[in-house]
Each structure stands twice: as C-alpha cells, then as structure tokens.
C-alpha cells in the first residue's frame, strides 16, 4: 500500500520555507492535521480541509482518514520528540512518509557553534522539570526544549537550587523565523517573567562550590539520597546493580524500595530504563518522591503497598530486586512468577533468616549466592583499624524458559495467581539495613 500519510516538518518561516516535495504534498492533500499555530501558516489557496488536533490529543480521527491523501504538520523534524515518532509506532513504514525540516536543535547548534553530537537534549514538553537534574554536570552542554514561556525562569530557579547558578543560559526564541531573538544570562541573575512561548534553552553548566557531584557510574554517594538508614549502601548498591544489569528499555521492580536507590540508579543507567518502586512505609515513600526528582528520574513509578499484594496488576518486569522482605511469605514466589522468562532476580539479605531463605530458594531454582563483606578504616585510639560492616548475602538467578525448572510461569497478562500471600504481616520494605 502506498503512503497515504505525509508528515511535513515546518519551521517558524512557515509555508515559504518548505521545499517542493512538502508543498506538493500539502497541495494534493484532502485534509491537513496539525496544531492551530501550524495550520495558520498555510496559504488560503490550499484546498485541503484543516483539522486541528483534538484536546486531549488523540490520533483516532487522523487514522480514520486512511483513504488519504492526508498530511500532518509538525515542528521542525517530526521524528525528534514529535508526532512523526508517535505515528511511526502506529503505522507500517510503507504507509507513512516523513519530510523533515531543520530541527530547533540543528538551528540552535548552528547559531551557537556547538557540535550537535556533543550536546545532551532534554525535552520538558509534557515532562517534569526535575528531568533535567540527571544531566547537570560541570562543563556539560544541554539543549532544553521548553514547555512554554515560563520555562526559562523556572529552570533558572532549579539551577540555583541545585548549585548550578553560574550556568550560562541562552534562550533562543522563534528559531528560523522573522521574530528570532537570542537572550543571554546567568542562571543566578535570570529575571523572573516570561519569554516567547516558542523557545529553546541552551545551557553551559557551571557548578558552584558545594554543588553535588553525581557521577555517571552506578554507586552514587550515600548522601545523594534522603533516607532513614534503610539504604543499600554505595558499594553494595554498585555490586547489586551490576548483577541486575540494566539495558535500554527494560523495566525493574524495586521491591521493598526503602529510599528508592536501586530503582533510581537503574533509571539513570539509560533514558529508556523504567522502574517501579514498591514501598509500604509512608515516610520512605516521601523519601522516594524526593530522591527521584533530585536525581533526575521523576518518571520512577511509586506503588504504595506491601509485597506480595501490591504486585498485583503491575507490568511484567525484566528484572526484580528484593532489598528487604525475603522472609515474608509469598514475596519471592510472587516476584518469580511475574518475572518474564529470561529475566533476572536479585535479592539481598543481612539476617540469618534471610540468608536461609535465599539458600533454600537457590536449592529449588538455581542461581548463585555471593557473600559481600566490606570494611572501612576507622580510628581506634591513636591508631586506625578495620570496622566490618554487616555481611550481605546476594542471590542472583535468571529465570529459564517456560517450565524448564518445573515451576509456574505467568504470562504478561497474568497475575501471580496461586502464590501464597498469607501471613503478610510485615512490609517487604528495606533496602539493606545500615552498617553498624
């Protein structure tokens, strides 16, 4: 089937800036979908019916026009945070043609002389402002796609609060159009108020004294997290995440999430990594909410409840971490039943009872047990000595193919039926207990 839908990228210079293929597609279209601003750019001579996107946004009316020919207008490059990418997930490649214009990122890079491949990009269109926090590193260059004219002032306030007040901000309004304008300044001197709604912000990040230094590697400093002591400590956390082995697009269950440290670092590993934190303790839920924003992963999903009951109805995970509650009846069984085939389960225990539960699990399902014993040099009188932390027992097991070990398998739409959820009187809620 020939392409019935053409997605036309249009810049702030409007119809006049389009190439011949884009103009021809619009002239031949029976209907053109787009935002009101884009539709207003079309000349009156176009015979096509104009259709503004419904509110809330919905593709159904467009997809009902399948007899074509149909055009969609999108800003710049439709495949960059645009409707083109959304449509590509809905339609076979042969039904869709995309004619991009220069993106706002390309235009901004050209104006500033920044190599585009060296600049991180963050979209705040429909996304929380704390998403930026994961990209704040001294010396980093970042392009920020603004939600509206209030975004630059809100972003300056965030940068000041995070210790990046010395950051140079460049706001580029109406890139590629007659109203193009550039505004420069420091975050800590940025005036309150609005700029043009159509803007992009370029950041040259500069940390001030005392700004948190958050490395790209796993194992963030313990003081990067707000917690009550229920925290998987830095070195154990790094080992645990290495065993969980996050890869792009995967979903983690962080069961008994405590401060949320494992799920947060899982999501920081790649922008497409997802995590669900399951936590029944009200104060720790607030810690998770604070930590996920402060560390730049506001998309981490928090489920307030106790495992195994709180696991019901959750999306099937690619990996599961159990930081506490391995002795709670039904927790290991429920996690194992819902884990996808080939997925990884990692569980940590610090008590003899927890270690015994993991050893028994290994006897039935296989996997490996690892004892982690760490010591820090601390003063003793006028000398130093080693202070041992409580040893951690780590279970790592990969779920085999369906039925390979004789156990029940749940598919992606099945809940953990048949799992014993009786006697769930405690919360599977601890990251590894604090070092003594």
């Amino acid at each position: 089937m020939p392409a019935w839908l053409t997605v036309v990228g249009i810049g702030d210079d409007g119809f006049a800036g389009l190439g011949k293929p884009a103009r021809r597609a619009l002239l031949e279209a029976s209907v053109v979908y787009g935002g009101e601003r884009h539709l207003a750019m079309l000349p009156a001579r176009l015979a096509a019916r104009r259709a503004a996107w419904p509110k809330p946004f919905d593709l159904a009316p467009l997809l009902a026009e399948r007899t074509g020919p149909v055009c969609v207008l999108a800003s710049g490059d439709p495949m960059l945070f645009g409707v083109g990418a959304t449509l590509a997930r809905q339609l076979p490649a042969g039904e869709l043609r995309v004619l991009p214009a220069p993106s706002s990122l390309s235009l901004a890079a050209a104006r500033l002389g920044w190599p585009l491949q060296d600049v991180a990009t963050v979209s705040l269109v429909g996304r929380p402002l704390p998403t930026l926090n994961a990209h704040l590193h001294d010396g980093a260059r970042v392009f920020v796609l603004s939600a509206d004219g209030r975004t630059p002032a809100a972003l300056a306030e965030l940068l000041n609060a995070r210790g990046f007040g010395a950051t140079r901000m460049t706001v580029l309004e109406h890139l590629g159009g007659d109203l193009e304008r550039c505004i420069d300044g420091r975050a800590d001197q940025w005036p309150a108020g609005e700029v043009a709604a159509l803007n992009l912000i370029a950041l040259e990040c500069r940390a001030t004294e005392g700004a948190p230094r958050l490395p790209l590697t796993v194992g963030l400093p313990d003081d990067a997290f707000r917690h009550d002591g229920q925290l998987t400590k830095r070195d154990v956390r790094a080992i645990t995440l290495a065993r969980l082995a996050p890869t792009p697009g995967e979903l983690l269950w962080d069961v008994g999430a405590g401060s949320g440290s494992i799920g947060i670092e899982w999501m920081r590993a790649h922008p497409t990594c997802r995590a669900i934190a399951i936590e029944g303790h009200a104060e720790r839920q607030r810690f998770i909410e604070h930590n996920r924003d402060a560390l730049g992963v506001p998309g981490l999903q928090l489920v307030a409840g106790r495992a195994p009951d709180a696991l019901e109805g959750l999306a099937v995970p690619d990996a599961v971490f159990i930081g506490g509650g391995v002795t709670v009846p039904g927790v290991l069984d429920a996690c194992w039943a819902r884990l996808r085939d080939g997925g990884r389960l990692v569980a940590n225990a610090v008590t003899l009872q927890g270690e015994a539960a993991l050893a028994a699990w290994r006897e039935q399902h296989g996997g490996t047990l690892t004892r982690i014993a760490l010591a820090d040099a601390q003063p003793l009188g006028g000398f130093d000595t080693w202070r041992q932390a409580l040893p951690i027992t780590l279970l790592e097991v990969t779920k085999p193919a369906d039925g390979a070990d004789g156990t029940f398998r749940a598919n992606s739409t099945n809940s953990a039926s048949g799992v014993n959820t009786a006697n769930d009187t405690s919360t599977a809620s601890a990251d590894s207990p604090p070092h003594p």
Side-chain angles (χ1 to χ4, degrees):
M1 178 179 180
W4 61 271
L5 180 60
T6 301
V7 184
V8 175
I10 190 168
D12 210 53
D13 50 359
F15 189 81
L18 297 177
K20 288 184 179 180
R23 291 188 185 192
R24 185 179 303 112
L26 289 166
L27 288 167
E28 294 174 353
S30 59
V31 57
V32 179
Y33 278 79
E36 293 177 359
R37 182 177 70 88
H38 289 146
L39 293 175
M41 295 176 174
L42 299 178
R45 69 176 184 273
L46 256 68
R49 172 170 57 90
R50 276 78 158 167
W53 291 117
K55 298 178 181 179
F57 180 79
D58 186 4
L59 288 176
L62 168 65
L63 297 178
E65 307 269 6
R66 243 183 162 99
T67 53
V70 178
C71 279
V72 166
L73 291 176
S75 294
D77 184 349
M79 302 304 290
L80 180 69
F81 296 104
V83 71
T86 304
L87 287 166
R89 291 191 289 267
Q90 300 286 327
L91 296 171
E95 296 187 27
L96 179 68
R97 180 172 62 143
V98 179
L99 302 175
S103 69
S104 59
L105 303 183
S106 296
L107 293 173
R111 302 292 187 272
L112 298 171
W114 289 6
L116 189 54
Q117 70 272 13
D118 296 336
V119 186
T121 301
V122 178
S123 174
L124 296 181
V125 180
R127 295 173 175 83
L129 191 65
T131 303
L132 179 66
N133 287 336
H135 301 270
L136 295 182
H137 305 281
D138 191 39
R141 286 175 168 175
V142 185
F143 282 147
V144 181
L145 303 177
S146 283
D148 53 36
R150 297 184 297 273
T151 301
L155 192 150
E157 184 177 351
L158 179 145
L159 289 168
N160 277 310
R162 297 291 296 172
F164 282 82
T167 295
R168 179 192 172 197
M169 294 176 55
T170 302
V171 175
L172 299 153
E173 300 177 333
H174 292 286
L175 276 163
D178 293 338
L179 299 178
E180 182 173 321
R181 184 173 70 139
C182 176
I183 309 169
D184 277 308
R186 278 174 51 124
D188 55 8
Q189 298 169 2
W190 198 264
E194 297 189 36
V195 299
L198 189 63
N199 73 84
L200 177 146
I201 309 165
L203 302 178
E204 288 190 277
C205 297
R206 291 289 179 268
T208 53
E209 187 177 353
R213 184 181 181 279
L214 301 177
L216 297 175
T217 55
V218 296
L220 294 178
D222 293 343
D223 60 10
F225 300 92
R226 185 176 292 178
H227 61 91
D228 61 358
Q230 298 294 347
L231 173 75
T232 301
K233 295 301 180 67
R234 182 179 193 169
D235 296 317
V236 175
R237 192 183 333 121
I239 294 170
T240 299
L241 283 156
R243 300 299 184 94
L244 286 167
T247 56
E250 288 194 322
L251 172 66
L252 171 76
W253 283 2
D254 186 359
V255 180
S259 65
S261 62
I262 293 291
I264 287 169
E265 292 217 45
W266 169 280
M267 289 186 66
R268 284 173 58 89
H270 192 271
T272 63
C273 284
R274 299 165 293 136
I276 301 174
I278 298 96
E279 176 54 57
H281 190 285
E283 184 181 16
R284 292 172 193 151
Q285 293 164 13
R286 304 293 81 77
F287 292 154
I288 292 170
E289 291 171 341
H290 168 83
N291 292 334
R292 68 184 178 185
D293 284 356
L295 296 170
V297 289
L300 182 143
Q301 181 183 346
L302 173 60
V303 172
R306 296 181 172 91
D309 291 345
L311 308 179
E312 191 73 25
L314 300 184
V316 173
D318 300 286
V320 175
F321 172 64
I322 307 175
V326 295
T327 59
V328 176
V331 170
L332 277 165
D333 290 336
C335 292
W336 187 248
R338 293 294 305 280
L339 181 65
R340 72 162 176 84
D341 292 344
R344 291 91 62 203
L345 184 147
V346 174
N348 289 356
V350 72
T351 65
L352 291 175
Q353 290 79 9
E355 183 178 273
L358 297 185
W361 180 264
R362 177 173 173 268
E363 285 295 316
Q364 183 179 0
H365 299 280
T368 60
L369 284 176
T370 302
R371 170 70 64 88
I372 304 171
L374 300 171
D376 294 322
Q378 296 183 11
L380 179 65
F383 299 91
D384 293 322
T385 190
W386 292 109
R387 293 287 186 187
Q388 296 286 339
L390 292 174
I392 305 293
T393 300
L394 182 149
L395 168 71
E396 177 191 3
V397 58
T398 299
K399 189 171 182 177
D402 187 30
D405 65 347
T407 58
F408 171 78
R409 294 285 183 267
N411 61 34
S412 61
T413 60
N414 198 2
S415 65
S417 57
V419 175
N420 176 20
T421 59
N423 301 318
D424 182 23
T425 58
S426 62
T427 305
S429 64
D431 276 314
S432 298
H435 293 335

